[in-house]
Amino acid sequence: MPASVLSAYSPTSFLMPDLEASISVLPERDTNPHHDEARSESRLWINQFNKTVYGPKMRTFMDNCNLELINSFCYPYANKDGLRATMDLHNILWLYDEFTDTESGKDAHRSASVAQQALCDPEFNDGSWLCLMMKDFKTKHIDRAGPDAARRFIEHFCSYVKVVGKEAELREENKILDIQDYITLRRETSAVRTCFDLVEYCLGINLPQDVHEDPVFIGGYNAAMDLIYWANDLYSYNMEQAKGHSGANVITVIMKNKHLELQAAADFLGGYFESLIYQWKTAREVLALRSSEKYTNAVTVLDAYGDWVRGNVLWSFTTERYFGTQNTEIRKTRCVGLRLPFEESVNLTE
């Protein structure tokens, strides 16, 4: 569809591809049995910091999103301490994401600098909620991980906060990237790398760096990571377009670059999702043929990434984060009615 036609096209709804059918090839697992205890502890911990940022309405909204539940879907094997670490990380990521969504590019870069210094410099302390939160998380969890996993986590988190500043600049410029540049950016802004680092922490595995640099492992790693944020972009599209943030969403990127209307872009995403499932499965099968212990562990880690892919899709329909109180009905019909601009949105400080 030509761009001139695309700009004039205003659908009122679209049908989402059936991602639950696509993930049916992945093993079904129960949610983590330590959920309630770990959630109570994590909620008390994050409340020390989010009350500085969130107003009462936003805190209520975030409570209803049940953010910690995603970890019980995605880390079903974790012990209580491991699950608590994943919940703390997710609460950090959601708080940081919501906070920087309100910042200019310059301010987002300043926040990134605080987070980086808090993780990397033991002497740094500017007294801010962000600094105290990151230092406490590092002490409680990352310092207890294997050395390679801990190093990768810090590198990946620092990369995440740095690129979030870039995302804020693109939002200010109303710039939409091409598909490959968007994939490169989204692999960092999604923060999935940091969640994958905690997979090794929860499993008690410290994969050597040469495994992470193996092309086959990278193929499986990237496929799982892309599956997660492509699903997130699909499910969050309605909310983001209502907030005026849809430029940083793969649906908008596909529409612009392939000159497609909304429904065709959603269908394209569904087909690409299937190809990523195949890529992940192929990498797993190749690594399973290798006999050394480090590759046996690599298969275990890839399987856990598969838990993440499946858990992310299932959680998206149990939370009110994306679809509000219509989540059960939308899961059944997959039909999404587009919100009007800013409809049902909640300001950060309300």
Side-chain angles (χ1 to χ4, degrees):
M1 181 179 292
S4 59
V5 178
L6 177 63
S7 62
Y9 183 72
S10 300
T12 58
S13 65
F14 71 102
L15 186 68
M16 295 191 299
D18 190 355
L19 301 191
E20 288 194 77
S22 299
I23 63 169
S24 62
V25 299
L26 301 172
E28 291 189 41
R29 306 191 195 280
D30 293 331
T31 54
N32 193 296
H34 304 292
H35 170 79
D36 290 345
E37 185 178 2
R39 181 185 185 276
S40 295
E41 292 180 6
S42 186
R43 181 57 59 89
L44 285 172
W45 180 77
I46 198 64
N47 281 346
Q48 303 172 80
F49 310 107
N50 68 19
K51 65 183 179 182
T52 305
V53 180
Y54 291 161
K57 288 185 180 179
M58 176 56 85
R59 285 200 300 272
T60 299
F61 172 71
M62 298 301 281
D63 284 346
N64 290 340
C65 289
N66 204 356
L67 301 178
E68 298 92 349
L69 183 59
I70 191 173
N71 301 284
S72 292
F73 280 111
C74 295
Y75 302 90
Y77 48 83
N79 63 23
K80 198 268 288 184
D81 290 339
L83 185 64
R84 161 72 192 280
T86 70
M87 289 182 175
D88 287 356
L89 174 62
H90 252 85
N91 277 317
I92 287 172
L93 293 174
W94 288 114
L95 178 56
Y96 190 85
D97 183 56
E98 291 290 343
F99 178 68
T100 54
D101 266 358
T102 68
E103 291 191 306
S104 66
K106 181 180 179 180
D107 288 340
H109 281 299
R110 186 181 300 113
S111 294
S113 177
V114 171
Q116 289 173 317
Q117 291 181 80
L119 286 174
C120 300
D121 182 358
E123 303 302 317
F124 175 76
N125 187 351
D126 69 350
S128 67
W129 65 268
L130 179 56
C131 174
L132 296 174
M133 179 177 68
M134 295 312 306
K135 292 178 81 69
D136 198 40
F137 179 80
K138 181 176 183 293
T139 300
K140 280 184 167 64
H141 306 300
I142 302 308
D143 288 348
R144 300 178 182 179
D148 292 295
R151 174 182 51 78
R152 283 190 291 265
F153 175 87
I154 292 172
E155 290 175 358
H156 291 154
F157 195 94
C158 290
S159 175
Y160 158 70
V161 295
K162 181 178 180 180
V163 81
V164 164
K166 175 64 176 176
E167 187 177 42
E169 290 175 353
L170 293 172
R171 187 166 61 244
E172 288 177 335
E173 298 167 4
N174 293 318
K175 184 175 181 179
I176 300 174
L177 300 175
D178 64 37
I179 292 177
Q180 190 53 57
D181 285 344
Y182 179 78
I183 288 173
T184 299
L185 179 72
R186 194 70 172 92
R187 284 176 177 173
E188 307 309 322
T189 61
S190 68
V192 172
R193 294 188 193 276
T194 62
C195 300
F196 281 2
D197 293 327
L198 291 193
V199 164
E200 292 183 48
Y201 174 63
C202 290
L203 289 170
I205 291 175
N206 184 60
L207 286 180
Q209 188 61 26
D210 66 298
V211 172
H212 275 268
E213 294 172 358
D214 184 286
V216 177
F217 184 83
I218 290 173
Y221 182 106
N222 285 345
M225 181 165 50
D226 293 351
L227 283 162
I228 292 164
Y229 73 75
W230 279 57
N232 282 352
D233 277 14
L234 174 67
Y235 297 146
S236 67
Y237 174 78
N238 194 21
M239 178 176 64
E240 290 178 356
Q241 64 85 26
K243 291 165 64 177
H245 292 174
S246 63
N249 187 290
V250 74
I251 294 289
T252 302
V253 171
I254 293 169
M255 290 171 69
K256 177 179 182 292
N257 285 275
K258 293 193 171 293
H259 306 294
L260 298 174
E261 46 87 14
L262 175 57
Q263 185 60 59
D267 294 341
F268 177 90
L269 184 149
Y272 197 85
F273 196 90
E274 290 277 1
S275 71
L276 290 171
I277 290 282
Y278 178 78
Q279 180 179 323
W280 173 85
K281 286 178 60 182
T282 301
R284 186 198 182 284
E285 289 167 1
V286 172
L287 291 175
L289 295 174
R290 302 179 183 177
S291 57
S292 64
E293 182 182 3
K294 66 181 181 181
Y295 286 112
T296 300
N297 286 338
V299 171
T300 300
V301 169
L302 278 187
D303 283 341
Y305 296 166
D307 290 332
W308 234 107
V309 171
R310 184 180 185 85
N312 178 59
V313 170
L314 297 179
W315 171 80
S316 296
F317 290 107
T318 62
T319 176
E320 295 183 12
R321 171 72 177 174
Y322 300 127
F323 305 115
T325 56
Q326 295 179 306
N327 52 359
T328 301
E329 180 64 21
I330 290 175
R331 183 179 191 178
K332 184 188 305 180
T333 65
R334 293 184 283 114
C335 184
V336 179
L338 293 181
R339 294 179 181 178
L340 296 174
F342 301 103
E343 183 183 2
E344 299 178 34
S345 62
V346 179
N347 291 328
L348 191 70
T349 57
E350 285 188 346

